Amino acid sequence: DISGNVTTLEGHGSAVLSVAWSPDGKSIVSAGFDNTVRIWDAANGESLQTLVGHGDRVQKVAWSPNGKRIASSSGDGTLRIWDAASGGSVQSLGGHTNYVVAAAYSPDGRLMASSSYDKTTRIWDATSGHSLQILKGHTGIVFSVAWSPDSKRLVTGSNDDTLRIWDATTGESMQTLKGHGNSVFGVAWSPDGKRIVSGARDQTIRLWDPVSGESVQSLEAYGSFVFAVAWSPDGTRIVSGSYDDTLRIWDAATGESLQTLEGHGGAVRSVAWSPDGQRIVSGSYDKT
């Protein structure tokens, strides 16, 4: 159970669109409408650093698996890499022709992926910043991207109402997952690689078999858009964030709703589980 103990991280001047834990669980990174990336002390909620450089809202932040780098995607069309210790900007990767909405490091740390309003997903060399692949196939904005645990595949969610699974090496589209009735906002791969979870504008959460491409479960206890989904590190639970200002925790096996977390005064745009599975961080339109 996630206890009722809440620390509120305040400092962003506008909506918080993305949150992520450092691999060691000691820090949290967040980003939002105020064009900044912020690093926080996860123990006491203190603001440690503000990373400035993006020229538009920051849509997504991701921590490298070794904890040394942070990637951020922005409405300014770039993907930026930051030094997590110094807060310095290391690289700015251009190539997308519109808002870059999502960013994710591969679990092995060698690659990065970004997705955009330009309907494409790009794979980058995490060290050099070179663009390796452009994944084309979605007919709408690609809102979200997540890596398989073995770093060999990607899943993306789009406002064409579908998810797609891609081969990270060849850039080929392997599967199109159909079932949602509206935009797919959030996607996540289970820690064991056997399931994908998605959250959508159609007010449902779906679980998918990445091999068959079949929808194996639909969680329909929401009366509101589902913006974000994340697996617990042990794969037994899923947390979701919604337009109704709440988070929900679900049993990944049964699809049962276990807990509703209330407190935000605005839509919950991003959720992330701490590496030890004991805590959850959430980012909201209420600026916290």
Side-chain angles (χ1 to χ4, degrees), residues 14 21 30-32 36 41 52 97 106 109 118 128 143-144 148 177 180 213 243 268 276 281:
S14 192
W21 288 87
S30 64
T36 70
D41 184 309
V52 180
T97 57
S106 62
D118 68 12
S128 69
F143 281 121
S144 50
S148 62
L177 313 184
H180 280 298
Y243 193 73
V268 180
D276 65 7
V281 63

Side-chain angles (χ1 to χ4, degrees), residues 186-247:
V187 293
W189 218 296
S190 66
D192 66 6
K194 293 180 179 171
R195 288 286 180 266
I196 288 165
V197 65
S198 58
R201 193 184 171 104
D202 67 5
Q203 308 180 5
T204 70
I205 295 165
R206 279 181 183 260
L207 290 170
W208 309 82
D209 180 325
V211 179
S212 69
E214 295 295 308
S215 174
V216 291
Q217 217 169 2
S218 181
L219 316 182
E220 306 191 37
Y222 263 115
S224 197
F225 307 161
V226 183
F227 280 126
V229 284
W231 292 88
S232 62
D234 66 6
T236 63
R237 288 163 298 160
I238 291 161
V239 63
S240 59
S242 167
Y243 193 73
D244 69 4
D245 309 353
T246 70
L247 292 82

Side-chain angles (χ1 to χ4, degrees), residues 4 16 55 59 86 122 128 134 144 163 193 200 205 233 238-239:
V16 181
Q59 298 276 350
S86 70
R122 281 181 181 248
S128 69
I134 302 173
S144 50
L163 293 83
I205 295 165
I238 291 161
V239 63

Side-chain angles (χ1 to χ4, degrees), residues 129-170:
H130 287 142
S131 177
L132 303 175
Q133 295 276 3
I134 302 173
L135 314 183
K136 296 179 180 177
H138 280 299
T139 57
I141 296 163
V142 187
F143 281 121
S144 50
V145 60
W147 290 88
S148 62
D150 64 7
S151 300
K152 291 181 178 173
R153 290 169 297 166
L154 283 164
V155 63
T156 52
S158 169
N159 77 340
D160 65 12
D161 309 351
T162 71
L163 293 83
R164 279 181 183 247
I165 297 173
W166 311 81
D167 184 306
T169 309
T170 64

